Structure formats: C-alpha cells, structure tokens
Amino acid sequence: MTMPDVAKAPYNPVRFGASETVVEKRPDGTMIARNPVTLGPYPRSTTERLDYWAEHAPDRVFLAQRDGSGPWRTITFKQAQISARGIAEALLRRSLGVNRPIAMLSPNDLGQALIGLGAQYAGIPFAPISPAYSTLSQDFGKLRHIIDLLQPGLVYATRGTPVANAIDAVIPASTEIVVAQDPPAGRKATLLQELIVTPVTSAVDAARAIVGPDTVAKILFTSGSTGVPKGVINTHRMLCSNQIMFLHVLPFFHEDPPVLLEWLPWSHTFGGNHNFNLALFAGGTFYIDDGRPLPGAIETTVNNLREISPSIYFNVPRGYEALLPYLESDPALARTFFARLKCLFYAGASLSQPIWDRLQAVAVKTTGHRITMMSGLGSTETAPGSITVARQIERAGTVGVPMPGVELKLVPNAGKLEARLRGPNIMPGYWKNPEQSKSAFDEEGFYKLGDALKFADPGNPSAGFVFDGRIAEDFKLSTGTWVSVGPLRSDLVHDFAPYLKDAVITGHDRSELTAILVPEIEPCRAVARLPATASAEEIVNHPAVRSAFTAMLDTFTRKSTGASNRLARVLLLHEALSIDLGEITDKGSINQRAVIANRTDLVDALYASPPGPRVLAASKSG
C-alpha cells in the first residue's frame, strides 16, 4: 500500500475537546500560552474514584495479570476496594507515614497496585522504584541512594528471590519486607495476603478523611539523567487534576470504559500516573503486560495482544518499532489489535516518521481507516500531562497545546523558546531536597521543564507546539555556532532507519560535529549476514555494515545546511551502555552528557588526526 493511498483514507472517528490556545506577549519577548477553558473541580483524592467505581460498577474487571499457568487473574473494582482497605488498615497499624514511607522494588504487578491504593487510602506515601536498580545494577548505588533518602518503614517485592541480593546489600535488617510470594532466603518476610485480610476498623475511614489535595500520594524517582535520582513529590492534587485535564481535551478517553494492555513501568510517570490513573478514573480495565520491547520479550506482548484488544494503546517509540513487524506480517494479530482501538499514544521520545507511516499503513490495510495518533509533553514533575495533542495530526513531532489549568511560559533562550509550566499538576518540590526544589522554579513559580518548543504554525497558536530539543543538551562549536542536539538526533535516527537506535552528538568547543552512533544490532546483523551467535562488536565492525553507515553518512552530510547539522565523522558503538554510570536509563533513553564524560577515549578518537580505526569519515565531496 502506497503512502498516497494511506493519506486518502479517513481517520477513525474520535471526539476531541478543548484545543484552543491564547497567547499573551510580554515586552521582553516572553510569552504565556493558555487554554481558555477553565479546569473546574477535581477529586480531593485518587481513591474517591475507586470508591465510585466500586459502587457503580462493582463487578467490572479493574486489574488483570497472567498468573504462572497462563490464564488471566482478575480483580474487580469492588475486590480492589476491599483489598486496598484491608491493606490500609495493616499499614496504619505499622505507624507508617511521611517519615516512614513504603518502597516497592518489583515490576508492575497486582500486589503493587493494591498496596499503592491501600497506601493512598491511608495517606501514606509510597515509592515505586525502578526494578533495574535492584536487579540489573551491579553495585546497587542508585538503590542505596534512594533508600537512604526515603528511610522506608516497609519494602514490598512481588518475589523475594530476584531482589534478595539488593535487599541484603541495601535494606536495613529492621525494615519489614512484604512479598506476594517467594520470601527471600535468610530474611523474615510478611506475605501480602496477611495485609489484605486485616480486619478493617474505623481508622481507615478516619485516615481517608484527612487525605486531601496536598497529601503526598507517591514519590517517583527520576532516572538520574543529571546525576543521582531525585525524588519527585506527587500529591493527590497533581494526580487528580491531571486526569480531569485529559478529560477536557480528550473526552473519548472516558466515553467508554477504556481497555489498556500495558507494560510501561509504574516507577515512571507515563505508566504509573498517566496510564494507571486513566483506568482508575475512567472505570477501565488495565491488563498488566509482562512483555517488553526487547528481543525475547516482545513475544509476550504479541501473545497478549492476540487475546486482548485495547481501546487505547500507549507505548514509547521503541515499543512501536518492536511491535510493528508482527502487525505487518500477521493479519490476524492486526485485526485483534485494531478491533476497538481508538488511538495510539506515544511519549518518552520522538517517533520517527517512517514508523508513523508504517503504523498508519497497517491500520488502513486492516480497518480501512487511519488511526488517531497522539503525543504530548510533560515530565515526572508535571504528573505528567501538561501539553497534549487534541486534534488529528498528520506527522510526528507535534506535542500539542496546553491543557486547561496549565500555563505555558515561553522564554527566549539562545535562539529558542524555553518551556516553563505552572498549574495544579506541577510538583511542590523534590523529596528532602529544598535547594534543588528552589532551583527548579523561576521567580514566578513556573517549573523549568528544560525543553524548548516552537510553534507548529506561528500564525495559529491553536495548531500547537513542536518539540525543539533539550536546552541542557545544546552547545556551541568553537566557531560560536549553536548546535540543537534534539532535532539533530531525531534527523539522524530518521535518515539512518532502521539501522540506528540513537546518537550521542559531540563537538562542544570543537570546530566541527561528530557523533557516537548506537546501532540497531538486528538490522545490522542482517546487513552483515552473520549468525545469531555473532557479537555486537563483530557485527558493527563488519565491512558491509561500515560501508552502509558510510554511505548513509555521506547522504546525510549532503543534505546538511551548515556546521550546526553537518557531521564530519561518526563512530559505531558496540559496547553496552551502563545504567550504573548513568549512561542509559531503565526506560532505555540515553544520557548524552554521561556517555561523553565516561567515554572520552571515543571522543578523542573522533577528533584525532588521523582519526581512530573505528571512525567513519564523511567524504570530502559530501
């Protein structure tokens, strides 16, 4: 199917809400963009919605996860309410609170969901911690920092064995361990079921009555892209107002009880706030997907999608890239996937246009219409939704308009517009870190997001905004030329598709740009025609792969418009990036500055005369 044929296909019908934007211009060039729609009231606490659905749809499945034998284990809204209240009682009896919160070490699971809901009933903060910090890390450095900061009174893990080493290394012996099953060897642990069956007293309702908009619901830790992880305070006001914002601009989210199939980690705001709370607030069903967009794990997601037809599907670009070949090659899977799908939503990074186009092509081939594609912009500090797409868009890159209740401040900065945000969805600060909290906001109370935006249509603010890179990543060449790293990385991934995963742009205070390229190993393996046993080093150093990248570099260089986007040399990285060194987050995103700081030998090789043997140079004619 050709792209012109796809472009002629109608979109699936969905209803959008408030998408208008008004802009106030100040004399100094600063602009304030707002949605003119008033936000209106929102619940005092998240558990108001659990109580509502437990009364109005008690038998509707709220949460589901496959058990060890394969079938789905389900929990209805009423069952979730009963279990969460029992857990709340048990937590209150343990004298937990702001000074003794709850830490969670495991991947998404039913037990974690129930403990989180119980904690919110009781007004006790909880912190879902990235599982990578207790399973993939070699030194548990980030986990140790988080535990030292939290001083938790209780630690939960689905199973004890996978995190036993982390518990032994980091968790004090006096801290209670709760597991759903499989207690860790050599450590006393309480079974989750003991908490669930705790007889409920009036203490739960008394605690719930005290919980309000400013109560701390959870603490989410950033992935440490600028150093050690920071604990972002998430209040009930943030979480509740954010869902009502989405209801204003995307009413179709709530028009039918949504069905979600989700792998995105609850230790991050996209999965744990945006998506989990959508199911909670809209009375939807949340199927926990134990798959991942990785070789050997994406098959779990595919098998789940053969059975579950989501009505809204959320993923990061990497997830869509991993899923797409299965949708293209398996019509039956595509029919199930698109059966009741209203939209595809991506966040966390930019979706390449080729992936966007292929998703639309398979949607049209399967259903006869294009699927609504959506994105937005926010962060852990913003609950996360602040700006979102609220209309049909044709291409990737647009992040949308401010949602009701959100003020977007655009500050001129080095030729760009730096984005700052203010509203009820913005954090009050970082956990036990007043200095970083203060520096995160400007003099008017706007949170400094660190991203740059530009108008999609300068003559029509309601057309929305386009992501224009991270302010902190941009730098100057020695010639004084500014380099906008975000758009350059995006262009590279687009033009080198499907062979490039990401790029680290180097050249600060140098005369020309170079880059460390992170290849997609499997497509490169196909170019090299090497067996599955071949190492990443063998693959990226194969002459056919080097030749292919040199040709792509020459083509890219010929398209460049000047020193700010012309690459002189690149180097193909075969070494694994390190989560302990902060080079890569557990979400898979790359920390540019950490890679450059940790791999100075590679940077030196790029700029050596002559360049190192691993370096590929653009032809002079390019």
Side-chain angles (χ1 to χ4, degrees):
M1 179 173 292
T2 66
M3 286 316 301
D5 292 333
V6 172
K8 294 176 183 177
Y11 278 101
N12 61 322
V14 296
R15 186 167 68 93
F16 292 104
S19 61
E20 186 180 352
T21 302
V22 295
V23 176
E24 167 199 339
K25 297 182 179 180
R26 295 179 175 176
D28 63 356
T30 298
M31 291 177 277
I32 305 294
R34 302 181 180 89
N35 192 310
V37 173
T38 301
L39 176 60
Y42 44 84
R44 283 175 47 83
S45 67
T46 56
T47 53
E48 287 187 19
R49 299 306 293 168
L50 180 56
D51 290 338
Y52 176 89
W53 292 115
E55 178 182 353
H56 291 85
D59 299 324
R60 183 183 300 162
V61 173
F62 172 32
L63 300 166
Q65 186 176 25
R66 290 195 187 277
D67 64 22
S69 60
W72 292 97
R73 177 190 170 197
T74 61
I75 297 176
T76 66
F77 276 99
K78 188 63 178 179
Q79 290 170 333
Q81 182 197 45
I82 292 171
S83 296
R85 286 174 61 83
I87 291 170
E89 177 73 35
L91 299 178
L92 290 169
R93 293 183 185 184
R94 285 162 167 77
S95 300
L96 302 173
V98 172
N99 295 320
R100 298 183 72 240
I102 299 165
M104 300 177 176
L105 305 185
S106 296
N108 305 356
D109 83 303
L110 297 176
Q112 183 180 152
L114 294 176
I115 287 186
L117 292 167
Q120 289 171 85
Y121 267 117
I124 298 168
F126 67 100
I129 300 170
S130 170
Y133 296 167
S134 52
T135 56
L136 298 182
S137 175
Q138 300 299 308
D139 62 7
F140 305 120
K142 291 186 177 181
L143 178 63
R144 182 175 288 104
H145 165 78
I146 291 171
I147 294 300
D148 288 347
L149 190 64
L150 284 176
Q151 296 293 302
L154 183 148
V155 172
Y156 170 77
T158 308
R159 297 176 59 243
T161 297
V163 296
N165 291 337
I167 289 174
D168 287 343
V170 175
I171 308 301
S174 58
T175 303
E176 182 178 10
I177 307 297
V178 175
V179 296
Q181 56 182 310
D182 179 30
R187 185 72 176 258
K188 182 180 178 181
T190 305
L191 291 177
L192 172 62
Q193 187 62 24
E194 294 181 31
L195 275 62
I196 291 174
V197 300
T198 305
V200 177
T201 70
S202 59
V204 172
D205 288 328
R208 181 183 177 279
I210 298 172
V211 175
D214 294 318
T215 303
V216 179
K218 62 169 70 172
I219 304 144
L220 288 179
F221 283 86
T222 63
S223 52
S225 60
T226 56
V228 295
K230 296 178 291 188
V232 179
I233 298 170
N234 281 229
T235 65
H236 285 265
R237 181 191 309 280
M238 293 170 62
L239 306 183
C240 293
S241 68
N242 208 215
Q243 286 299 316
I244 303 305
M245 290 175 185
F246 279 110
L247 179 58
H248 277 295
V249 296
L250 305 173
F252 71 89
F253 272 17
H254 287 227
E255 287 176 342
D256 297 304
V259 176
L260 285 72
L261 178 73
E262 278 292 308
W263 72 269
L264 292 158
W266 295 344
S267 53
H268 296 289
T269 188
F270 188 9
N273 285 348
H274 187 290
N275 300 345
F276 185 89
N277 285 339
L278 169 61
L280 174 62
F281 274 64
T285 301
F286 193 112
Y287 289 89
I288 298 172
D289 177 17
D290 294 321
R292 291 291 183 274
L294 299 168
I298 186 62
E299 292 79 7
T300 299
T301 295
V302 170
N303 289 334
N304 287 336
L305 286 171
R306 296 187 193 281
E307 185 175 338
I308 305 300
S309 296
S311 61
I312 303 168
Y313 194 67
F314 298 99
N315 218 323
V316 294
R318 176 64 175 161
Y320 286 114
E321 292 171 18
L323 179 61
L324 188 52
Y326 293 90
L327 294 174
E328 291 174 324
S329 62
D330 189 336
L333 172 66
R335 285 193 296 271
T336 303
F337 181 71
F338 288 105
R340 57 183 172 192
L341 193 66
K342 295 181 178 180
C343 81
L344 297 174
F345 192 108
Y346 71 92
S350 178
L351 184 69
S352 71
Q353 192 61 40
I355 297 299
W356 175 293
D357 293 340
R358 289 168 61 192
L359 285 167
Q360 291 292 20
V362 72
V364 172
K365 181 179 179 181
T366 305
T367 68
H369 57 69
R370 284 183 284 175
I371 195 72
T372 296
M373 302 280 285
M374 307 192 66
S375 187
L377 184 68
S379 69
T380 308
E381 291 85 349
T382 68
S386 291
I387 301 169
T388 197
V389 171
R391 61 181 180 87
Q392 300 288 7
I393 54 175
E394 303 289 336
R395 297 185 62 82
T398 301
V399 296
V401 297
M403 295 199 290
V406 173
E407 295 177 283
L408 168 63
K409 185 178 183 180
L410 298 166
V411 180
N413 186 336
K416 292 190 175 187
L417 293 174
E418 178 192 346
R420 302 179 183 183
L421 298 163
R422 187 167 67 180
N425 61 315
I426 308 299
M427 69 164 187
Y430 295 109
W431 185 257
K432 296 181 180 179
N433 200 327
E435 290 186 7
Q436 285 187 329
S437 298
K438 183 178 180 181
S439 64
F441 296 89
D442 70 12
E443 66 284 354
E444 293 184 294
F446 283 86
Y447 168 67
K448 294 182 282 189
L449 187 61
D451 293 330
L453 298 176
K454 58 184 178 183
F455 289 97
D457 178 354
N460 178 19
S462 295
F465 295 91
V466 175
F467 179 70
D468 198 25
R470 293 281 297 170
I471 294 292
E473 291 180 344
D474 294 349
F475 59 83
K476 280 185 179 182
L477 295 172
S478 61
T479 59
T481 300
W482 271 104
V483 176
S484 185
V485 170
L488 179 55
R489 288 169 67 190
S490 179
D491 289 344
L492 277 167
V493 172
H494 176 278
D495 286 17
F496 283 53
Y499 305 106
L500 184 63
K501 180 183 297 184
D502 208 335
V504 177
I505 309 300
T506 59
H508 184 270
D509 286 340
R510 308 268 192 169
S511 62
E512 56 188 0
L513 287 177
T514 64
I516 299 171
L517 303 184
V518 183
E520 287 282 12
I521 293 300
E522 291 309 313
C524 291
R525 187 194 305 276
V527 170
R529 298 183 179 181
L530 289 174
T533 55
S535 68
E537 183 175 2
E538 292 176 293
I539 292 167
V540 302
N541 286 330
H542 192 278
V545 173
R546 290 175 61 86
S547 177
F549 271 90
T550 300
M552 288 185 286
L553 175 61
D554 284 342
T555 300
F556 188 84
T557 301
R558 284 194 293 270
K559 292 170 53 180
S560 65
T561 58
S564 65
N565 57 14
R566 180 183 297 116
L567 291 176
R569 288 174 293 281
V570 299
L571 182 150
L572 303 184
L573 187 71
H574 59 74
E575 299 90 341
L577 295 172
S578 169
I579 192 171
D580 288 330
L581 295 176
E583 294 179 332
I584 188 169
T585 72
D586 46 295
K587 292 183 292 185
S589 58
I590 293 176
N591 179 351
Q592 296 266 314
R593 286 180 290 176
V595 173
I596 293 171
N598 295 330
R599 301 179 187 266
T600 55
D601 58 325
L602 300 184
V603 177
D604 290 342
L606 282 164
Y607 287 97
S609 182
R614 293 175 59 180
V615 174
L616 304 176
S619 66
K620 296 299 183 181
S621 61

